[in-house]
């Protein structure tokens, strides 16, 4: 069932987003004034490939798994949208249908802006055009970086970079030892492997090697980064 109001934590996640927080107070106010809230359980479909672009969306809690389906019928995860991140604006802009599926990963809350309201905000806030251009430029840079990493870095370094990213986005300090960070986003090794374009077996081997080096700890409920500096050094390696 949809809830009309964000919780304090959810609103903080939206307001604290790097891109959203850079907007003027009046633009942020007008965007939030037009939003409506939707809540999903783990695995629920949020929007499907081929759907018309009806809403601009931001994640407020949990994560949104963006995926596509291979010719074989297997689902391939492309990315996870974290709290504070807006998406779906490309389809809103060009009016074409959505290119990927989006599913809730864990209990997930999103806020949506209807396309008609999005167009009205654009018409009254020229600032939003430039802000969206910055947002797209950042995404393109990230995409080029991922392609470069895929072609130049060994799996070990790419895995370490992904772990650092997950710690930044979903890290939860260990109450007993604040230097240890548990990755709050629960990913199966198969899901982690999909993000890296590698097999689960190879990712498992690299994780176990990092565990032997006492950089991480593998637990039934997920991963704990024991030595962030060590993982960072692995991520910066450009040769094996």
């Amino acid at each position: 069932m949809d809830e009309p109001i964000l919780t304090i934590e959810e609103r903080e996640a939206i307001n604290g987003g790097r891109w959203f927080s850079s907007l003027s107070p009046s633009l942020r106010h007008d965007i939030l004034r037009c939003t409506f809230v939707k809540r999903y359980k783990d695995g629920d479909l949020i929007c499907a490939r081929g759907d018309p672009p009806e809403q601009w969306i931001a994640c407020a809690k949990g994560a949104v798994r963006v995926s596509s389906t291979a010719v074989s019928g297997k689902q391939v995860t492309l990315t996870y949208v974290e709290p504070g991140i807006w998406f779906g604006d490309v389809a809103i802009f060009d009016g074409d249908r959505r290119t990927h599926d989006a599913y809730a990963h864990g209990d997930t809350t999103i806020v949506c802006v209807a396309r008609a309201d999005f167009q009205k905000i654009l018409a009254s806030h020229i600032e939003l055009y430039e802000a969206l251009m910055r947002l797209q430029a950042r995404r393109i840079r990230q995409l080029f970086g991922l392609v470069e990493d895929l072609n130049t870095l060994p799996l070990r370094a790419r895995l370490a970079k992904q772990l650092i990213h997950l710690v930044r986005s979903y890290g939860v300090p260990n109450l007993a030892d604040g230097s240890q960070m548990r990755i709050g986003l629960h990913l199966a090794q198969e899901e982690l492997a999909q993000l890296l374009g590698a097999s689960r077996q190879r990712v498992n081997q690299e994780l176990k090697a990092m565990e032997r080096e006492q950089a991480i700890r593998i637990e039934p409920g997920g991963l704990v980064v024991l030595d962030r500096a060590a993982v960072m050094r692995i991520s910066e390696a450009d040769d094996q």
Side-chain angles (χ1 to χ4, degrees):
M1 181 177 178
D2 293 355
E3 296 287 347
I5 300 175
L6 292 172
T7 66
I8 293 175
E9 292 78 12
E10 291 166 347
R11 183 171 287 273
E12 287 177 348
I14 294 295
N15 287 327
R18 176 182 171 188
W19 177 80
F20 190 76
S21 63
S22 72
L23 305 179
S24 67
S26 63
L27 177 52
R28 295 199 305 270
H29 173 269
D30 283 359
I31 291 173
L32 291 176
R33 184 171 55 86
C34 294
T35 59
F36 54 95
V37 178
K38 290 186 175 182
R39 302 186 190 279
Y40 296 89
K41 296 296 184 182
D42 181 46
D44 286 351
L45 178 67
I46 295 174
C47 55
R49 179 175 183 171
D51 282 352
E54 297 176 344
Q55 300 163 359
W56 184 37
I57 304 171
C59 180
K61 173 188 174 183
V64 177
R65 178 171 62 86
V66 179
S67 65
S68 63
T69 304
V71 176
S72 63
K74 179 181 179 182
Q75 278 202 343
V76 179
T77 299
L78 303 174
T79 190
Y80 289 87
V81 178
E82 64 200 66
I85 301 297
W86 291 80
F87 65 98
D89 37 274
V90 172
I92 289 284
F93 263 132
D94 65 17
D96 207 348
R97 294 184 179 275
R98 296 194 183 277
T99 56
H100 299 92
D101 301 319
Y103 293 88
H105 188 82
D107 290 338
T108 299
T109 302
I110 63 171
V111 295
C112 307
V113 177
R115 188 180 185 191
D117 289 328
F118 179 83
Q119 297 295 343
K120 290 177 183 177
I121 296 170
L122 274 177
S124 58
H125 291 274
I126 300 301
E127 169 196 352
L128 185 54
Y129 281 99
E130 182 179 348
L132 287 168
M133 286 179 63
R134 291 197 307 270
L135 182 62
Q136 294 306 318
R138 184 184 305 162
R139 288 173 179 164
I140 291 171
R141 287 179 181 274
Q142 291 173 343
L143 178 60
F144 283 168
L146 289 172
V147 172
E148 182 179 2
D149 288 351
L150 188 61
N151 287 279
T152 61
L153 292 181
L155 175 59
R156 174 178 166 87
R158 288 189 284 119
L159 173 58
K161 288 186 75 169
Q162 185 65 56
L163 294 180
I164 291 297
H165 170 72
L166 291 171
V167 164
R168 287 172 179 161
S169 302
Y170 293 97
V172 179
N174 187 327
L175 294 178
D177 185 346
S179 67
Q180 299 180 7
M181 298 289 287
R182 178 182 302 279
I183 295 176
L185 182 68
H186 298 297
L187 295 179
Q189 289 188 12
E190 177 65 31
E191 293 170 323
L192 188 56
Q194 288 182 18
L195 288 176
L196 297 164
S199 68
R200 185 193 63 78
Q201 291 80 4
R202 288 193 61 205
V203 168
N204 180 260
Q205 290 171 0
E206 297 295 351
L207 287 173
K208 287 184 175 179
M210 291 185 194
E211 186 173 45
R212 288 194 296 271
E213 297 162 12
Q214 298 185 342
I216 68 170
R217 182 170 66 243
I218 303 171
E219 296 183 346
L223 298 172
V224 178
V225 174
L226 303 177
D227 190 338
R228 189 170 178 176
V231 177
M232 185 71 75
R233 285 193 296 271
I234 296 171
S235 73
E236 294 169 350
D238 59 3
D239 192 18
Q240 282 281 3

